[in-house]
Amino acid sequence: MFSSYKNKIAEWDWYDLKQVSSTNDSIKELNKDKLPAVISAKEQTGGRGRCGRKWYGLDGNLYFTFSLKIARQELSRYVCIIGLSLAKTIKNIAPFIDVKIKWPNDIFLNDKKVTGILIENIADDIWAVGIGVNIKASPEIKDMPYKATSLKENGITSERSVFLRQYLEQLTLDIKEYQEQGFTYIREQWLQMALNLGKEVTIKNGDTEKTGQFLTLDENGYLILKREDKEERIIAGDLFI
Ligand code: BTN
């Protein structure tokens, strides 16, 4: 692991590995005194997605996980910030592209998913933030209501290491902005890029399904769903239209 040490990106020590099962697992195996760290891998053989799904490993794509200290009561806001920074990174590279965030934090280009985020707990208030970015290729996903795409399919050229650095630098700026100015401005930016805002959506969480109008995000980053004239706060789930 240490022979793969590259250098620092913002506050994180960066390890770039050849092949791992899942970068989320690799960071959990790293000694706590090596954190904050970011682990990327050229190849990921057992990539995991949300809700027990698989994340496919394709050549040239970016797989990485970094550690982040987040107090539990702030987690839902950070879920928004982490996704917003990813959307902004793509927008910075390709300002002409219509980049959308699908709640809670998937990034979509032309109605197809290009990145995914899996946040897991390491210990106490230390979290593993795992991100997959389809840079060069996208898998054919069966049994899902949406398709996948890649940056390349949208005419966006990038390299995994370059994108990783750009993302962590953007995230550092956005976290600083949040800490100095609060969540309001982050929330506004997030809402400007939100997919399906104002539309009728269904949120699935385990066996529970709720359908209603996606009104907004609240001051905690929870989704506000309007159902029969009542507004409900949704903390977690998958959004479908
Ligand atoms: C999802 O959209 O379901 C989340 C996908 C998260 C995939 C990334 S790739 C790097 C990190 N390692 C994993 O095993 N998963 C995350």
Side-chain angles (χ1 to χ4, degrees), residues 17-42:
L17 309 185
K18 239 180 164 172
Q19 192 201 60
V20 300
S21 172
S22 157
T23 52
N24 270 37
D25 294 338
S26 306
I27 205 143
K28 290 178 192 169
E29 288 157 14
L30 195 67
N31 214 312
K32 302 284 167 295
D33 64 8
K34 298 279 179 290
L35 303 180
V38 53
I39 297 180
S40 54
K42 287 191 181 65

Side-chain angles (χ1 to χ4, degrees), residues 21-25 44 46-51 53-55 62-65 106 113 115-118 129-133 146:
S21 172
S22 157
T23 52
N24 270 37
D25 294 338
Q44 195 177 235
R48 292 185 274 112
R50 293 174 60 231
C51 310
R53 289 188 289 261
K54 268 177 85 164
W55 187 262
L62 171 62
Y63 316 100
F64 68 101
T65 302
D106 288 337
K113 176 162 162 165
T115 70
I117 300 178
L118 177 68
V129 181
I131 300 187
V133 183
Y146 54 79

Side-chain angles (χ1 to χ4, degrees), residues 157-172:
T157 311
S158 186
E159 287 301 325
R160 44 188 291 284
S161 307
V162 176
F163 191 97
L164 171 64
R165 183 174 291 280
Q166 288 169 331
Y167 172 70
L168 289 174
E169 285 170 355
Q170 181 64 53
L171 178 71
T172 303

